[in-house]
């Protein structure tokens, strides 16, 4: 386990009150736990801006499966992708709509480009990329 270092942070009272409110709402054990999560979140975000290595993302897509050729176009993009599609999950929301999640591995710009291509297809109602990475801490 890493050595724990204590340090102090100066905050305006109003910001500290907001921090304590978040701690209570989200069930954190302490200010330290929330602070560690915020730092890790920032590190993941930064890694998507600076990393040239492999990252992980989850693309969530809702689409109408009745749209002409949409499923075929999606499959073509998936098969031609220059990233790894680790797994997909397909859920029938109702008679007209499907939800898919795609777990993706690759370089940040390639994952973003793939996600943008899927998002731009006619019949896609919602698409959101969740950017993930394992912080090196």
């Amino acid at each position: 386990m890493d050595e724990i270092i204590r340090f102090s942070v100066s905050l305006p009272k109003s910001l500290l009150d907001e921090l304590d409110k978040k701690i209570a709402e989200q069930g954190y054990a302490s200010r330290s736990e929330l602070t560690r999560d915020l730092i890790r979140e920032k590190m993941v975000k930064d890694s998507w801006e600076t990393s040239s290595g492999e990252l992980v993302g989850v693309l969530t897509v809702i689409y109408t499966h009745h749209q002409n050729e949409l499923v075929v176009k999606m499959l073509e993009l998936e098969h031609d992708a220059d990233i790894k599609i680790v797994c997909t999950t397909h859920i029938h929301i109702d008679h007209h709509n499907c939800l898919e999640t795609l777990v993706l591995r690759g370089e940040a710009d390639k994952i973003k480009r793939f996600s943008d291509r899927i998002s731009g297809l006619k019949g896609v109602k919602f698409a959101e990329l969740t950017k993930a990475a394992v912080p090196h801490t």
Side-chain angles (χ1 to χ4, degrees), residues 37-100:
D37 275 359
L38 292 171
I39 292 169
R40 286 186 203 104
E41 185 179 316
K42 174 71 170 135
M43 292 170 69
V44 167
K45 182 180 178 186
D46 287 352
S47 71
W48 273 80
E49 301 302 322
T50 61
S51 176
S52 59
E54 187 173 78
L55 297 169
V56 178
V58 179
L59 179 60
T60 303
V61 183
I62 295 177
Y63 62 91
T64 175
H65 70 266
H66 294 297
Q67 181 65 44
N68 249 359
E69 300 294 312
L70 174 61
V71 174
V72 171
K73 290 175 186 173
M74 287 176 66
L75 288 174
E76 286 175 357
L77 285 172
E78 290 176 26
H79 284 278
D80 294 340
D82 56 353
I83 57 172
K84 297 174 191 163
I85 300 173
V86 179
C87 72
T88 63
T89 303
H90 181 96
I91 300 167
H92 301 279
I93 296 174
D94 57 35
H95 182 71
H96 302 286
N97 297 291
C98 297
L99 178 142
E100 283 194 20

